[in-house]
Amino acid sequence: QSALTQPPSASRSPGESVTISCTGTSSDVGAYNYVSWYQQHPGKAPKLIIYDVTKRPSGVPDRFSGSKSGNTASLTVSGLQAEDEADYYCSSYTGTNTYVLFGGGTKLTVL
Amino acid sequence: QVHVQESGPGLVYPSETLSLTCTVSGDSILNYYWSWIRQPPGRGLEWLGYRYYNGNTHSNPSLKSRLTMSIDMSKNQFSLKLTSVTAADTAVYFCATVTWGSFSNWGQGTLVTVSS
């Protein structure tokens, strides 16, 4: 199984919204509602911001939201702030030997 | 709130065994499934494997039989051993709790360089 597909980069201005896609297959993203999103600042560990497609862990602002349609999941960040500038990774449970696949990551720049 | 800290040697010689430990505090290691994830410099994330205290374990097939994971309940520690390392195993190694493929409670990571 190949990694999930994410756009390598995205850029927006503060206050705007951005949606980052994560495309898999009917064997992973399309098969299970176990898609997660992670935010990673340089030199830091990834931080879980969305799990089970749409759920936010405690403490994650509601500016972050997740959705899924078919084999593609999406992360939307609204009201962009400077601190949202980071790398974002998606992942999906696969239910197979590979267990979980990650996307290649999207570098979000807040101009 | 569970806290996680990885530790181990920063340099490993090619063909040798990489050994890392994840020390858990703030909660019992028995309450979670544990996973190792790595990130080569400048690249994306790769799941290595998970283990539960009862022995339930699963490794990424790409690592074949090189990976061994264990849990020491007396020390609240989760460990990794990766044999026959090459330069391709150079990465930041993270441990984290895992539920249905979702990783939370990450450690800060530890950089391991494979080089002679």
Side-chain angles (χ1 to χ4, degrees):
Chain A
Q1 286 174 285
S2 302
L4 307 178
T5 300
Q6 296 181 235
S9 64
S11 62
R12 295 290 187 278
S13 298
E16 294 185 335
S17 295
V18 65
T19 296
I20 299 171
S21 62
C22 171
T23 302
T25 70
S26 58
S27 297
D28 38 69
V29 174
Y32 304 96
N33 288 324
Y34 293 126
V35 174
S36 301
W37 289 91
Y38 303 87
Q39 178 191 62
Q40 186 180 33
H41 289 109
K44 300 294 187 181
K47 174 188 174 183
L48 179 67
I49 56 173
I50 296 287
Y51 67 101
D52 295 356
V53 179
T54 62
K55 299 176 181 177
R56 280 187 312 275
S58 174
V60 175
D62 60 6
R63 303 187 295 104
F64 295 89
S65 62
S67 63
K68 189 184 85 166
S69 178
N71 298 336
T72 298
S74 299
L75 170 72
T76 297
V77 188
S78 58
L80 278 166
Q81 301 179 4
E83 59 261 36
D84 298 331
E85 184 164 295
D87 293 327
Y88 290 84
Y89 293 91
C90 64
S91 72
S92 175
Y93 174 75
T94 68
T96 66
N97 278 337
T98 50
Y99 180 66
V100 66
L101 288 175
F102 283 101
T106 298
K107 183 176 182 62
L108 174 62
T109 301
V110 180
L111 301 168
Chain B
Q1 175 76 13
V2 62
H3 181 71
V4 176
Q5 176 94 34
E6 303 90 347
S7 60
L11 178 66
V12 181
Y13 293 112
S15 80
E16 297 200 340
T17 297
L18 183 165
S19 297
L20 298 174
T21 298
C22 178
T23 301
V24 178
S25 59
D27 202 346
S28 172
I29 201 168
L30 308 182
N31 290 336
Y32 304 91
Y33 275 76
W34 293 92
S35 209
W36 287 100
I37 304 110
R38 70 181 179 183
Q39 184 172 35
R43 298 180 62 184
L45 301 166
E46 178 186 21
W47 170 73
L48 302 183
Y50 71 70
R51 187 174 178 94
Y52 193 47
Y53 78 94
N54 66 358
N56 187 8
T57 189
H58 189 49
S59 301
N60 190 322
S62 70
L63 297 174
K64 298 181 181 177
S65 58
R66 296 197 298 134
L67 178 66
T68 302
M69 295 171 290
S70 60
I71 287 180
D72 186 331
M73 291 180 280
S74 67
K75 295 181 179 179
N76 235 31
Q77 290 181 333
F78 173 50
S79 298
L80 168 152
K81 289 188 187 301
L82 186 65
T83 62
S84 304
V85 298
T86 70
D89 295 309
T90 293
V92 176
Y93 286 75
F94 299 97
C95 64
T97 56
V98 59
T99 306
W100 290 106
S102 178
F103 304 97
S104 52
N105 301 308
W106 293 67
Q108 86 285 356
T110 186
L111 174 63
V112 178
T113 300
V114 178
S115 176
S116 56

